[in-house]
């Protein structure tokens, strides 16, 4: 951090003159606007500056002076070791008032933030909540989630700026990510899933062609940068409050709500954003949320009518499954942070394949087509099967398990079929964990159909090494070219070695009372 003379700045603030304070803070803010890392030097002075600024905000100030104070707090709150002026109840309440989030039961209408000062207050609150457990507790006591939820109800009716809506959503995401109590409060007391789903629908400006079918124009322009940013914050907040849904029973009303949400998420997967990286991030948050939803509600991903340009399989619209498969392939190629980036989409495809026969058969046709290449190991090559088989021996247990489980389900949990496509060596980990090393089937229930072999596979089948999953070159016989005397000599050497080993074991490991 630049070594600005904080002592002189503190003297000016203590003078209390608004014009001098505003001018001095504006200079300080400009000098430190890009400072995100703080040394221990001048930490006490920065704390003192924070105290003076937060107290100054309780006075009747000109808008320009308010703005300067709030900008200073945003900068100072980046330092988690100098947060003490901002984490008390009074300080958080002051910032909440400037952000329009001061909540009370008597308020009939939520306060709509107006102007840049409210956005600055929201940014400061985001930093403080993110960096301080104590501030999170204060936010819970002040019921900031309630204030945000009230404002969210008017999301579509207000003409607030993008930044105001975005930082409302960012703060809501942080509060629900960092506090179990606020997560539960939003989900249950404030009907957060419905509230955020409405905000999602509004941001995407959706039109519906059927009860669970959004009109999706694949040729429409990409979703704008600002809309994408808000949508991603909504998806992240929804993820926080739905992460335990799939573990419990849902009633009819909840199922309808989650089907409605799943239909919107299908639309999200079929939309592009501005640029590949942003689209990838957008689809990543969509997949993460889909994983949370009850499996019974994911049938809406397949129900839309097959139209011109749709991917059709067994009379079903497979557009969404195709997009998920392409998403999986891209993440496999990136190979970065596989546990975070790959396991959600693998889990989603695995569980969908368990319950939807058409999905499983479509995926199997794409991932495990009839075998033709019997000369290379299953893990060698660039097909989806090759890439997934490589993951079956990955160092990360979660990644290894997810990849193996996906392929096992595509094989209908049939051990011989699984070994055929992956090789026994790669399959051994999952089979051992399931107690299926000797063969058989898993516990899943699947329809019966024949596994069709290609001509290449049938011809080579007898010569395929089940451990490596490929045809091995025949190894030369070590006794070729030997005379009968040499063969007899080698055989006697082998007998003598076994005899020595047997005598060694009797000497060093005598039997005890018939123990085996």
């Amino acid at each position: 951090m630049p070594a600005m003379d904080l002592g002189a700045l503190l003297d000016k603030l203590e003078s209390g003159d608004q014009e001098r304070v505003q001018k001095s803070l504006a200079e300080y803010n400009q000098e430190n606007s890009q400072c995100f890392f703080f040394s221990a030097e001048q930490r006490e002075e920065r704390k003192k500056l924070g105290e003076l600024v937060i107290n100054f905000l309780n006075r009747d100030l000109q808008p320009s002076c308010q703005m300067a104070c709030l900008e200073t707090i945003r900068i100072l709150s980046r330092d988690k070791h100098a947060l003490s002026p901002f984490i008390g109840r009074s300080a958080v309440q002051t910032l909440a008032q400037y952000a329009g989030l001061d909540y009370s039961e008597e308020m009939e209408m939520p306060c709509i933030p107006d102007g840049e000062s409210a956005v600055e207050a929201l940014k400061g609150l985001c930093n403080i909540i993110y960096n301080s457990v104590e501030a999170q507790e204060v936010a819970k006591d002040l019921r900031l989630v309630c204030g945000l939820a009230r404002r969210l109800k008017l999301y579509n009716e207000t003409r607030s700026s993008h930044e105001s809506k975005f930082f409302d959503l960012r703060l809501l995401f942080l509060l629900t990510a960092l506090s179990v109590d606020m997560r539960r409060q939003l989900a249950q007391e404030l009907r957060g899933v419905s509230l955020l789903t409405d905000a999602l629908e509004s941001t995407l400006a959706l039109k519906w062609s059927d009860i669970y079918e959004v009109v999706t124009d694949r040729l429409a322009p990409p979703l704008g940068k600002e809309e994408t940013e808000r949508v991603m914050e909504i998806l992240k907040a929804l993820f926080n409050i739905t992460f335990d849904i799939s573990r419990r029973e849902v009633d009819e009303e909840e199922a309808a709500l989650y089907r409605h949400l799943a239909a919107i998420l299908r639309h999200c997967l079929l939309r592009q954003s501005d640029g590949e990286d942003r689209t990838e991030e957008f689809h990543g948050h969509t997949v993460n949320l889909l994983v949370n939803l009850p499996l019974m509600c994911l049938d809406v991903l397949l129900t839309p009518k097959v139209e011109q340009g749709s991917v059709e399989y067994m009379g079903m619209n497979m557009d969404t499954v195709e997009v998920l498969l392409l998403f999986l392939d891209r993440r496999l190629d990136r190979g970065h942070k596989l546990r975070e980036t790959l396991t959600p989409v693998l889990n989603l495809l695995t569980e969908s394949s368990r319950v939807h026969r058409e999905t499983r058969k479509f995926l199997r046709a794409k991932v495990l087509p009839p075998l033709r290449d019997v000369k290379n190991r299953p893990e060698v090559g660039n097909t989806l099967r090759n890439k997934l088989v490589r993951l079956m021996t990955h160092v990360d247990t979660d990644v290894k398990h997810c990849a193996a489980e996906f392929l096992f389900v595509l094989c209908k949990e049939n051990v011989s079929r699984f070994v055929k496509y992956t090789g026994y060596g790669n399959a051994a980990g999952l089979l051992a964990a399931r107690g299926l090393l000797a063969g058989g089937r898993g516990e899943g229930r699947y329809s019966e159909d024949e596994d069709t072999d290609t001509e290449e596979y049938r011809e080579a089948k007898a010569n395929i090494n089940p451990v490596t999953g490929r045809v091995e070159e025949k190894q030369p016989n070590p006794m070729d070219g030997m005379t009968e005397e040499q063969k007899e000599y080698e055989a006697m050497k082998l007998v003598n070695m076994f005899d020595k080993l047997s005598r060694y074991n009797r000497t060093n490991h005598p039997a005890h009372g018939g123990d085996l």
Side-chain angles (χ1 to χ4, degrees):
M1 187 166 183
M4 184 177 183
D5 185 1
L6 281 177
L9 177 59
L10 293 172
D11 289 341
K12 288 175 183 176
L13 259 71
E14 284 174 334
S15 74
D17 180 70
Q18 272 201 54
E19 197 173 324
R20 287 184 72 197
V21 167
Q22 188 271 326
K23 191 176 177 183
S24 302
L25 288 179
E27 186 183 328
Y28 177 84
N29 296 341
Q30 187 175 357
E31 191 173 320
N32 294 284
S33 63
Q34 297 306 308
C35 181
F36 292 90
F37 301 98
F38 299 83
S39 66
E41 186 185 352
Q42 293 190 310
R43 182 169 290 159
E44 291 309 310
E45 288 92 334
R46 288 199 302 275
K47 286 182 184 178
K48 180 67 177 171
L49 174 60
E51 286 170 15
L52 288 169
V53 170
I54 198 78
N55 288 332
F56 212 70
L57 280 173
N58 290 317
R59 292 172 49 179
D60 184 18
L61 301 177
Q62 293 292 324
S64 59
C65 192
Q66 284 179 5
M67 190 64 182
C69 290
L70 290 164
E71 283 179 355
T72 303
I73 289 171
R74 171 170 56 82
I75 292 165
L76 294 174
S77 60
R78 295 169 182 164
D79 181 7
K80 60 184 176 185
H81 301 294
L83 283 177
S84 55
F86 310 126
I87 60 178
R89 185 182 179 91
S90 172
V92 175
Q93 192 159 24
T94 296
L95 290 172
Q97 285 168 346
Y98 273 96
L101 292 177
D102 194 25
Y103 177 82
S104 69
E105 296 287 351
E106 292 75 35
M107 286 173 63
E108 290 186 14
M109 286 290 290
C111 176
I112 304 302
D114 184 31
E116 295 177 341
S117 61
V119 173
E120 277 302 317
L122 282 167
K123 290 178 182 177
L125 281 169
C126 285
N127 286 348
I128 293 160
I129 298 297
Y130 178 71
N131 285 317
S132 167
V133 175
E134 292 164 52
Q136 291 158 27
E137 284 300 307
V138 171
K140 184 178 77 174
D141 292 342
L142 292 173
R143 296 174 69 79
L144 291 196
V145 165
C146 296
L148 286 165
R150 277 193 172 178
R151 208 142 75 192
L152 203 55
K153 285 178 183 174
L154 300 177
Y155 192 85
N156 198 30
E157 297 169 27
T158 59
R159 294 189 176 181
S160 305
S161 66
H162 158 69
E163 274 207 316
S164 173
K165 288 180 175 179
F166 175 81
F167 283 104
D168 268 3
L169 293 165
R170 170 60 60 87
L171 184 56
L172 191 63
F173 160 69
L174 289 171
L175 292 172
T176 52
L178 299 168
S179 166
V180 175
D181 290 335
M182 285 188 274
R183 192 183 308 152
R184 193 178 295 122
Q185 184 182 29
L186 180 60
Q188 296 170 11
E189 178 190 330
L190 300 168
R191 299 176 64 83
V193 174
S194 180
L195 205 59
L196 285 161
T197 301
D198 287 347
L200 186 59
E201 198 170 334
S202 164
T203 308
L204 292 164
L206 298 184
K207 294 177 182 175
W208 296 80
S209 61
D210 208 337
I211 183 170
Y212 296 128
E213 187 173 346
V214 177
V215 176
T216 304
D217 180 2
R218 301 288 287 272
L219 300 175
L223 194 62
K225 178 176 180 286
E226 291 184 350
E227 287 81 1
T228 306
E229 286 179 346
R230 296 204 302 275
V231 165
M232 290 196 292
E233 293 303 313
I234 295 169
L235 294 174
K236 285 154 59 179
L238 275 166
F239 176 85
N240 290 343
I241 62 173
T242 58
F243 82 101
D244 64 340
I245 285 169
S246 57
R247 303 191 196 108
R248 61 179 176 81
E249 290 290 318
V250 294
D251 60 30
E252 204 173 309
E253 185 183 346
E254 286 178 306
L257 174 60
Y258 297 132
R259 277 199 171 91
H260 183 77
L261 176 54
I264 298 174
L265 297 181
R266 177 185 186 275
H267 172 82
C268 290
L269 285 174
L270 300 179
R271 285 297 304 270
Q272 301 292 306
S273 182
D274 60 325
E276 279 185 31
D277 288 345
R278 196 177 296 276
T279 298
E280 190 79 8
E281 187 184 359
F282 171 35
H283 287 174
H285 291 305
T286 305
V287 168
N288 291 345
L289 180 52
L290 274 168
V291 173
N292 283 359
L293 300 188
L295 277 172
M296 60 180 283
C297 300
L298 298 187
D299 54 356
V300 301
L301 299 181
L302 306 179
T303 52
K305 295 179 286 295
V306 176
E307 296 173 344
Q308 190 173 3
S310 295
V311 178
E312 181 186 353
Y313 187 82
M314 296 175 70
M316 306 290 283
N317 186 321
M318 289 289 165
D319 287 347
T320 315
V321 185
E322 174 89 346
V323 168
L324 288 170
L325 203 55
L326 292 170
F327 178 81
L328 169 66
D329 202 13
R330 285 195 302 275
R331 297 239 152 154
L332 283 165
D333 288 342
R334 288 189 177 193
H336 180 62
K337 292 185 177 177
L338 287 180
R339 181 190 287 195
E340 294 88 343
T341 62
L342 202 64
T343 54
V345 67
L346 273 175
N347 282 329
L348 179 60
L349 290 171
T350 301
E351 295 309 317
S352 297
S353 297
R354 279 193 214 278
V355 296
H356 298 127
R357 176 171 172 264
E358 295 83 4
T359 299
R360 177 178 53 75
K361 288 174 79 73
F362 175 77
L363 287 171
R364 186 172 159 219
K366 294 279 187 177
V367 179
L368 299 177
L371 270 181
R372 296 186 186 282
D373 179 7
V374 290
K375 293 181 180 177
N376 292 308
R377 289 172 176 262
E379 64 269 27
V380 175
N382 289 312
T383 68
L384 260 172
R385 174 177 78 108
N386 303 142
K387 294 172 189 177
L388 289 164
V389 172
R390 282 199 287 276
L391 289 185
M392 290 170 67
T393 52
H394 195 273
V395 291
D396 188 294
T397 308
D398 284 349
V399 171
K400 179 167 64 175
H401 170 76
C402 284
E405 189 74 18
F406 177 49
L407 293 175
F408 193 46
V409 168
L410 293 190
C411 293
K412 299 201 296 189
E413 303 189 27
N414 179 303
V415 172
S416 60
R417 191 179 292 180
F418 184 50
V419 169
K420 168 183 161 181
Y421 282 101
T422 65
Y424 195 79
N426 293 314
L430 179 137
L431 297 180
R434 296 286 194 93
L436 293 171
L437 282 171
R441 292 190 86 111
E443 295 175 357
R445 294 184 178 182
Y446 303 92
S447 60
E448 290 297 330
D449 58 5
E450 291 299 315
D451 187 25
T452 52
D453 290 334
T454 61
E455 191 176 334
E456 294 93 327
Y457 182 79
R458 281 197 301 273
E459 287 175 1
K461 188 174 181 180
N463 298 316
I464 292 174
N465 181 331
V467 174
T468 61
R470 71 167 182 178
V471 175
E472 302 284 359
E473 289 183 17
K474 289 187 176 178
Q475 299 298 315
N477 187 335
M479 290 195 168
D480 284 350
M482 287 187 182
T483 65
E484 289 303 316
E485 289 82 2
Q486 285 173 321
K487 288 178 184 176
E488 191 174 334
Y489 173 73
E490 291 296 334
M492 286 309 297
K493 256 172 69 176
L494 198 59
V495 169
N496 287 332
M497 284 167 65
F498 276 118
D499 185 50
K500 279 183 186 176
L501 186 63
S502 178
R503 277 188 275 119
Y504 173 82
N505 283 337
R506 282 201 300 274
T507 305
N508 293 284
H509 304 285
H512 297 285
D515 288 349
L516 296 174

